[in-house]
Amino acid sequence: AGPANIVASIRYDDNEAYGDNTNGSVSAGLPISEDIQLVASFGTAFRAPTFNELYYPFYGSPDVLPEESQTAELALKGYQAGLDWRVSVFHSDVENLIASSAATNYLAGNINEADLQGVEVELSTQVMGWNLSATADFLDARDASSNEYLDDRAAWSLGLNAGRQFNKLYVSVDTKAEHGRHDRSGTNLGGFAIFGMSAVYDYAERFQISGRIDNLFNKDYTLNLASSTDSYETEGTLAKIGVKYTFK
């Protein structure tokens, strides 16, 4: 096992509307063995309301206050038998969480205090030339006063990705799934899984062509409700093509 390490950062904001604010974070890593490390971190954060949260018609409110939060995390990470992995648990206390719910008449507003805690798992490896990765998240996000689950946050989410290089062409396929998303003051939305694929072709040393297809099978799914029964429309199958040239 190698030596322990500590990383610290600090940030100072001087906001014309909300005054000055200083936040920071500290992270300490302690090797458990040659290939396993324990990491503990703690940090504070400040987020001022966006322009839309303040002034967007029929949503924004000029009375919205900035968010302030404290987050603690404990993680184990390692590399064994060709597998990179990380498992972490976290807890966040948020004051004046900016949100939209029945309590704010579905306008931008603040939740006095919110508790967010969860578990995150990350895995990556290589099999027969394919780069494989997976992420899984469990989140419990609640209004500390009412114990109601916070709107617009999935309780479970999963991401999978597989990619491989074929000479100058790199191709990948991926899926994103989630369950337990709530909207409109606790209304449970149905879970879903959507698929995508992408490709990047290195045509020349400084010339690259890329393409991406999202929601490959045109899945009809819901992320937000416009009313207690009607959902906002989500995008169907979406294709994008990009060209990149790098100048020296």
Side-chain angles (χ1 to χ4, degrees):
N5 60 80
I6 297 177
V7 177
S9 65
I10 190 168
R11 170 173 171 162
Y12 173 77
D13 290 275
D14 186 3
N15 188 290
E16 186 177 282
Y18 303 107
D20 59 346
N21 199 284
T22 302
N23 292 278
S25 65
V26 59
S27 174
L30 176 65
I32 303 299
S33 66
E34 288 293 334
D35 46 20
I36 299 179
Q37 187 180 44
L38 176 68
V39 181
S41 63
F42 178 81
T44 62
F46 167 89
R47 183 174 86 81
T50 65
F51 182 87
N52 284 348
E53 290 166 342
L54 291 170
Y55 304 115
Y56 193 82
F58 308 110
Y59 172 71
S61 171
D63 297 326
V64 175
L65 300 174
E67 286 183 4
E68 296 187 59
S69 63
Q70 298 179 341
T71 300
E73 182 179 16
L74 188 65
L76 273 177
K77 64 179 183 178
Y79 180 80
Q80 295 169 307
L83 178 68
D84 267 310
W85 59 270
R86 177 186 174 95
V87 180
S88 60
V89 295
F90 67 90
H91 182 91
S92 295
D93 291 319
V94 187
E95 295 183 5
N96 295 321
L97 176 75
I98 299 174
S100 172
S101 68
T104 64
N105 294 319
Y106 301 108
L107 301 177
N110 295 103
I111 294 175
N112 289 338
E113 187 175 351
D115 290 332
L116 293 83
Q117 54 192 348
V119 179
E120 299 176 343
V121 179
E122 301 174 10
L123 306 170
S124 64
T125 189
Q126 190 175 78
V127 177
M128 299 179 64
W130 286 87
N131 301 312
L132 308 177
S133 63
T135 59
D137 301 313
F138 166 74
L139 175 66
D140 185 64
R142 298 182 182 273
D143 183 324
S145 300
S146 65
N147 202 38
E148 291 291 331
Y149 199 92
L150 297 180
D151 293 348
D152 203 29
R153 289 170 171 81
W156 295 88
S157 60
L158 174 69
L160 303 173
N161 182 276
R164 183 171 180 176
Q165 189 77 42
F166 296 93
N167 295 323
K168 294 184 177 182
L169 177 67
Y170 186 85
V171 297
S172 66
V173 293
D174 57 79
T175 182
K176 174 188 175 182
E178 67 173 47
H179 175 73
R181 180 180 287 270
H182 300 72
D183 197 27
R184 290 283 163 178
S185 192
T187 302
N188 190 21
L189 305 182
F192 64 89
I194 53 175
F195 297 82
M197 62 185 303
S198 60
V200 178
Y201 181 65
D202 294 317
Y203 182 78
E205 181 181 359
R206 291 180 286 167
F207 187 64
Q208 193 177 76
I209 303 172
S210 62
R212 169 79 188 172
I213 301 177
D214 287 311
N215 197 1
L216 184 62
F217 300 111
N218 200 29
K219 176 72 174 179
D220 184 17
Y221 62 102
T222 299
L223 289 176
N224 305 96
L225 294 178
S227 69
S228 58
T229 56
D230 300 321
S231 61
Y232 283 108
E233 292 186 2
T234 49
E235 291 181 331
T237 301
L238 178 66
K240 296 175 284 188
I241 296 177
V243 176
K244 178 181 177 181
Y245 186 83
T246 304
F247 295 90
K248 289 186 176 180

